[in-house]
Each structure stands twice: as C-alpha cells, then as structure tokens.
Amino acid sequence: MNHQEFAKMWINAWNSHDLEDVLSHYSEDIEITTPMIAMATGGKESSLKGKEAVREYWKKALEKFPDLHTLISSN
C-alpha cells in the first residue's frame, strides 16, 4: 500500500465517523497536540496521550460537529 492509498483509507474512516476504524491506524501510545485541544480544555492542556484520551476527544468533536469531514484532494 502506498501513502496515497493509506491516506484515502484514513479519510474514509474519518468521514464515516467510525472512531474504532480511525484509531486502528494508531498505537496505544498515540499522542496528539493541537491548539484545538487547548480550546476544548479551556487552556488546561494542548496534548492528549493514549488512545482512550484521543478517542474521547474525537468522540466529543464528532458529536458537537456531526457534519465534520475531511475532503480528499485530487493532487
């Protein structure tokens, strides 16, 4: 599988809002850092560590923004 095929698989998983499918692409010790986390936590933290923390964060995001999706670029 090349990187473009992998990216399409990930985007399709995200757009389906299937968190278990999305998270299957990551190890248990996933760590993400984004300004959006700081906004969601009131500035308390900007990083999340571990699948469970990321799962809960993404779950809340998808509940709050049910139309959230990623576009596939033709480039």
Side-chain angles (χ1 to χ4, degrees), residues 7-8 10-12 14-15 67-74:
K8 285 180 184 178
W10 190 95
I11 290 169
N12 288 336
W14 178 258
N15 288 342
D67 295 328
L68 186 64
H69 67 277
T70 299
L71 298 175
I72 298 175
S73 172
S74 61

Side-chain angles (χ1 to χ4, degrees), residues 35-47:
M36 297 304 293
I37 295 170
M39 289 174 54
T41 64
K44 295 177 186 170
E45 54 189 305
S46 61
S47 295

Side-chain angles (χ1 to χ4, degrees), residues 8-54:
K8 285 180 184 178
M9 283 178 43
W10 190 95
I11 290 169
N12 288 336
W14 178 258
N15 288 342
S16 75
H17 292 189
D18 183 342
L19 287 180
E20 295 313 310
D21 194 7
V22 175
L23 289 166
S24 73
H25 295 94
Y26 299 93
S27 65
E28 288 297 323
D29 61 350
I30 177 178
E31 181 174 346
I32 62 171
T33 301
T34 172
M36 297 304 293
I37 295 170
M39 289 174 54
T41 64
K44 295 177 186 170
E45 54 189 305
S46 61
S47 295
L48 296 171
K49 296 177 184 176
K51 267 191 184 179
E52 189 57 35
V54 174

